[in-house]
Amino acid sequence: MLFEALDVDSVGKLGFQQLHENLKQLNFTPRIHLSEEDYEDMLKNAGMDEYVHEDIGIVEFEELLRSELARHVQRSLAKKVMGMDPEHDEGHPKMLAIKLLHQMIDESTDKLDELESALNDAAAVPTNASLTRRQLVKRASRMMLKEQFRHAWLDSSSIG
């Protein structure tokens, strides 16, 4: 929905200039000012360097927003943790546990992406068998991930 509001010419692509101008037109409080340097940094931080001088479509736009949201959460958590007094603030261990969980999510997501990529590269297996293997590996990976989070959450709950 946001992409469509910014893509006023309905081409399905956004470049910096169009994004910059159309963000100013939206009634956000406070106003959003996006410099070219900020835009390039956002793309680079999202691992999308190839789009610095290219227009992005809705898929890339969503990826960019997800990346920026994750970075915002990380910065907010870091500020909160850094501002706490570990000896007097009861929330400090919980904030550290949340930060640890966030790091685990990032690492696990990267591992799932690598696993999916490896499965996609295994094109020598017949299609039906490949789909079955992919489904089983994804299911097993998700189960392992859920178990890791459950243990981390239980450990963090006993801290505070």
Side-chain angles (χ1 to χ4, degrees):
M1 187 166 179
L2 179 59
F3 183 86
E4 288 82 10
L6 295 169
D7 183 24
V8 294
D9 57 6
S10 300
V11 173
K13 295 278 187 179
L14 290 174
F16 164 73
Q17 198 60 41
Q18 185 178 18
L19 189 59
H20 173 75
E21 292 300 320
N22 294 337
L23 277 172
K24 285 195 247 179
Q25 303 303 318
L26 297 177
N27 291 324
F28 288 126
T29 304
R31 288 263 191 231
I32 297 175
H33 173 74
L34 182 67
S35 71
E36 191 165 3
E37 183 180 342
D38 291 338
Y39 179 71
E40 289 176 7
D41 287 344
M42 288 169 52
L43 288 168
K44 288 176 183 174
N45 290 329
M48 300 170 62
D49 300 51
E50 68 272 17
Y51 293 101
V52 168
H53 301 291
E54 302 289 327
D55 292 348
I56 60 174
I58 190 165
V59 172
E60 295 85 11
F61 182 74
E62 289 174 357
E63 186 177 329
L64 183 63
L65 289 182
R66 279 190 201 96
S67 172
E68 279 303 300
L69 183 58
R71 290 188 64 225
H72 173 73
V73 169
Q74 288 174 340
R75 284 191 308 268
S76 296
L77 282 173
K79 285 179 186 176
K80 182 74 174 163
V81 169
M82 296 306 290
M84 291 182 158
D85 180 359
E87 294 181 22
H88 299 98
D89 196 330
E90 293 177 14
H92 189 264
K94 290 178 183 175
M95 291 302 297
L96 289 175
I98 290 171
K99 185 171 182 179
L100 175 65
L101 285 171
H102 193 281
Q103 288 173 331
M104 288 175 63
I105 289 169
D106 284 347
E107 291 169 7
S108 298
T109 301
D110 290 344
K111 288 178 185 176
L112 284 173
D113 288 344
E114 290 173 17
L115 181 61
E116 186 173 11
S117 176
L119 286 171
N120 288 335
D121 291 343
V125 178
T127 305
N128 291 341
S130 178
L131 287 175
T132 303
R133 179 185 293 163
R134 182 176 295 139
Q135 290 169 343
L136 289 174
V137 171
K138 279 186 174 181
R139 189 170 295 148
S141 298
R142 285 190 180 109
M143 288 171 54
M144 289 174 17
L145 185 60
K146 285 179 184 178
E147 190 64 19
Q148 286 177 346
F149 290 145
R150 189 177 71 75
H151 284 295
W153 182 255
L154 291 173
D155 291 346
S156 71
S157 296
S158 65
I159 293 173

